[in-house]
Amino acid sequence: SGPGGFGNTNQNPSISPMSPAQAGTYTLVVVDANGCTGSVTKAVAVNPLPTPTIAPAGPFCIDNSSAQTLVPSSPGGTFSGNGITSGSAGTFVPSSVGAAGTTTITYTYTDQNGCTGTGTSDIVINPLPAANISGGPFTGCSPLIVTLSSDPGMSSSVWSFGDGASATDLGTGGITHTYSSTGTYDVTLTNTLNGCTATATQPAYVTVAPDPVADFSVRDLELKVFDPTVYITNQSTGAVSYSWDFGDAAGTSTAVDPTY
């Protein structure tokens, strides 16, 4: 017999089925073959299980390879779970989890009474944001106005245009930039979402072509009535087509070296 109405006639009973097992004084009464009785009492202590906890940590980015030290409420136990690199020290490396999402870490602790309890903590691992550059490639003459597009919904998108200029777009997914100097430029984008960043570069994405140079010479600047033909030598550079206007309202040509 014992506290909480405990009673049992087995030779070796267990108090563990009680919910919970109660501490107190238990009495055993035995009867021998002669009908004689004897008794003994024992004081039983029932220690509670420890309830360790883990201090909140994270969220972390999936590319974070630095070791994080998890802090338990009761030191001296063992950590386990995906991403744990030292069970005793409680070091956790986010990138070793392998995939974004929520990972559960378990902490097992045994107290001075030999009782063991566990605590868990869910750690969020955020994925890297997308970083896609679209809208081009672009080729044109100066000033060349380009509109670049990326993934909307970012915390920020930092654009580097390759000509020394940069700008930040706060989540709209697009930005416009004017290129003023001749050259070929790489475009780099860094997107940030939930504290995680991703960078993409499009090489030689924008080309600002030099303007062609228009020039020509005329063989005779003064014409005779009986020989009124003008002979023109085209001295232009960087051109692929030509549009001539001879100044008398009717005269035009698209030839390279026209006569008129």
Side-chain angles (χ1 to χ4, degrees), residues 61-89:
C61 300
I62 188 61
D63 64 341
N64 187 340
S65 59
S66 62
Q68 314 293 321
T69 300
L70 302 180
V71 179
S73 58
S74 302
T78 303
F79 290 88
S80 60
N82 199 11
I84 293 294
T85 57
S86 173
S88 58

Side-chain angles (χ1 to χ4, degrees), residues 156-250:
S156 70
S157 297
V158 178
W159 295 89
S160 178
F161 302 110
D163 60 352
S166 62
T168 300
D169 165 38
L170 298 179
T172 65
I175 201 164
T176 298
H177 180 65
T178 300
Y179 289 85
S180 301
S181 301
T182 299
T184 298
Y185 304 99
D186 300 342
V187 175
T188 299
L189 167 68
T190 300
N191 277 343
T192 300
L193 182 65
N194 296 324
C196 304
T197 61
T199 299
T201 297
Q202 288 282 11
Y205 204 54
V206 177
T207 299
V208 181
D211 292 336
V213 176
D215 193 17
F216 65 92
S217 62
V218 179
R219 193 183 69 179
D220 297 311
L221 295 179
E222 294 185 7
L223 304 179
K224 299 177 175 59
V225 173
F226 57 85
D227 186 12
T229 301
V230 60
Y231 298 90
I232 298 174
T233 300
N234 192 338
Q235 297 173 325
S236 303
T237 57
V240 295
S241 64
Y242 308 92
S243 177
W244 297 89
D245 182 351
F246 299 117
D248 60 355

Side-chain angles (χ1 to χ4, degrees), residues 82-111:
N82 199 11
I84 293 294
T85 57
S86 173
S88 58
T91 52
F92 172 78
V93 178
S95 61
S96 67
V97 173
T102 300
T103 186
T104 300
I105 302 300
T106 299
Y107 181 66
T108 303
Y109 174 74
T110 300
D111 65 14

